[in-house]
Amino acid sequence: MNGIVRTRFAPSPTGFMHIGNLRTGLYAYLFARHNGGKFILRIEDTDRERMVEGAEQMVYRTLAAAGIDYDEGPDRDGGVGPYVQSERAGIYREYAEKLVELGGAYYCFCTKERLESLHGENGTHTYDRHCRDLSPDEVKARIAAGEPYVIRQKVPDGVVSSYRDMVFGEISVSAEDIEDGVLLKSDGMPTYNFANVVDDHLMGITHVIRGTEYLSSTPKYNLIYDAFGWERPQYMHLPPIMKDATRKLSKRYGDANFEDFVAKGYLPQAVVNYVALLGWCPKNNAEKMTMEEMIELFDVDGISVSSSIFDEAKMRWLNGEYLKAMSEEEFLAVSRPWIEGAVGEGYDVREIARLMQTRADVLGEIPEKIAFLCSFGEYDLAMYEHKKMKVDLDVAKRAVKVSIAALEGLGEWDEESIKAAVQAAAEEAGMKSGQVMFSMRVALTGQPSTPGGAIEMAVVLGKDESMRRLRFSQELLDAKE
Ligand code: GLU
């Protein structure tokens, strides 16, 4: 590659940052970093009507949380700014006028009514090039008279515009299929079609990485580069991410928003890792990768041309792998707010975290799994029936009595001491320790399934609460005759 690679991420602040947007930004970032290049953030806010309050801030927050670090952007000047399109209006006008001089564009004074009269059967129309050959004098006079106008692209006759996309290969569109579209609107704002070209050129972008929705308009943009005499960038278009077999993910409908996943207890790095796999497979087929590994492994050959389906179950699994791989301290730090939020004070958060680390794929599952810690009351005694273990109500009654006797006088309240005491007492009573443990777990929690066995439950509940619950269960069992 000649010269330094420069890529950009150009989100429009028109809604959430969904997984598809994030992936585009991530790939542009990975490609730049892999090649020792620069990554630029540009905010494309010329469509004022579709702007959503707060969406621009969300872009910054999401990139920061995702660990996608840009070298240049609205808050990091690299000398080719401004990096927000609405602040570049003067630049677009200057270049649109220059393009007219170069013969690549022209002024158009057609009224809305005239354009509407061109409507085809399906409500769309192709501009009939009515103003394409106005004389320069007429144009000057009409502008001087204050007539509103737009500037349109002058698509050369008879050419076929082709380029080689790095993912999709050869793409060709013939000029007769390209409309003389608007480049500068009557309010002086550029269309996306014009702004993307001017900005990518002036910002020195070498590789344009974006969604396939732009794949077939790129020949049209290339004609603008050609008319200016500018070097065209390389292009890498990315296949869509689908929510199912037929529907694309869409920010308009609030699908799959990065921040919502984090709020549900996904780790940002796990989401980013999962997103990287949506349409790209590294040569070594790795699934769990750090950002550094992704940078190192990223290659265009691994990008697929077919769309991928966003599979939350798979992301959940991957998130669980991240949680399990954490050190005890790291897991404690990320799970603490979830644990404290669910049970309040008075519990040994470290013990609960230890219990949860291998039992939750997403942090948001924790509150439900530990709800039994704070709520305990009358429960269905049928839970004690366990055929395989040969436990019925009578056995359970004896087992609970045995555990109370074993634990009442116990000084140390940790796994080892509790286990030793219960096992010894079971043996002495001539019962299988499995029968006692099973009954004790039900007696301690009143739940059919719990995130740990009897001993672990007793530890997290603490001695006082464990004894209170065992006695309560004993009464329940005794009352049943
Ligand atoms: N603002 C455009 C979008 O959000 C960016 C397209 C591009 O990367 O050129 O779709």
Side-chain angles (χ1 to χ4, degrees), residues 344-358:
E345 306 209 333
Y347 290 92
D348 186 340
V349 175
R350 186 175 287 274
E351 276 307 334
I352 299 175
R354 200 172 283 153
L355 198 60
M356 284 296 127
Q357 185 162 6
T358 51

Side-chain angles (χ1 to χ4, degrees), residues 8-12 21 24 42 44 192 196 200 208-211 213-214 251:
R8 85 307 192 265
F9 178 41
S12 302
N21 303 128
T24 302
R42 178 170 78 225
E44 302 208 326
Y192 167 78
N196 89 88
D200 285 339
V208 169
I209 300 173
R210 63 185 167 205
E213 57 272 38
Y214 302 100
K251 68 175 157 188

